Amino acid sequence: MISANMLRGPRPFPLGDERSHYWRVQRMARATGVDLTEAQRRGVLPQDDWAGMVRRCRACLWAEGCARWLDHRAGIEAEGEGARVWPEGCVNGRPFKMLRDELRDEV
């Protein structure tokens, strides 16, 4: 499947607001069962990698879809359902999976 990020072409796009994307990465991690603070504490997530996740999020063209997904996810969490897989369009899906697997292995 072709994601919106692949359709950009060579034209540069402005990055999104750093603060809002920092919090979006936090929300996405929480919604998918990844504790970024714990990953950093254990040395699984170096600061540069965390910053890289925020940079990728800032450059993502799926930001509106992500916000809707997270808002919908917040309603599901309120009903008591556990963490689930991140959306297909998430540019940080692979790092989230690696972190979640790494944190599980260390428990």
Side-chain angles (χ1 to χ4, degrees):
M1 173 177 197
I2 297 175
S3 71
N5 292 319
M6 297 168 80
L7 298 175
R8 283 185 205 217
R11 226 174 81 197
F13 286 81
L15 295 176
D17 176 65
E18 190 171 18
R19 182 173 297 187
S20 65
H21 286 274
Y22 167 84
W23 288 112
R24 184 167 288 150
V25 169
Q26 289 281 14
R27 285 183 68 202
M28 183 63 75
R30 191 174 313 112
T32 58
V34 178
D35 186 339
L36 295 176
T37 304
E38 181 66 13
Q40 190 172 41
R41 188 188 69 75
R42 292 187 191 180
V44 176
L45 178 61
Q47 184 64 35
D48 288 345
D49 291 354
W50 192 337
M53 292 175 80
V54 174
R55 275 192 303 277
R56 279 190 298 279
C57 183
R58 290 177 67 202
C60 182
L61 294 178
W62 191 66
E64 291 302 315
C66 179
R68 283 191 303 275
W69 187 90
L70 285 166
D71 290 343
H72 174 72
R73 182 69 197 141
I76 291 172
E77 285 176 357
E79 295 172 9
E81 184 181 316
R84 70 175 193 186
V85 177
W86 39 89
E88 193 173 311
C90 181
V91 295
N92 284 312
R94 188 174 183 185
F96 283 139
K97 180 186 181 329
M98 290 170 37
L99 287 169
R100 189 166 65 186
D101 292 348
E102 189 76 28
L103 289 171
R104 274 191 195 145
D105 291 344
E106 289 190 23
V107 173

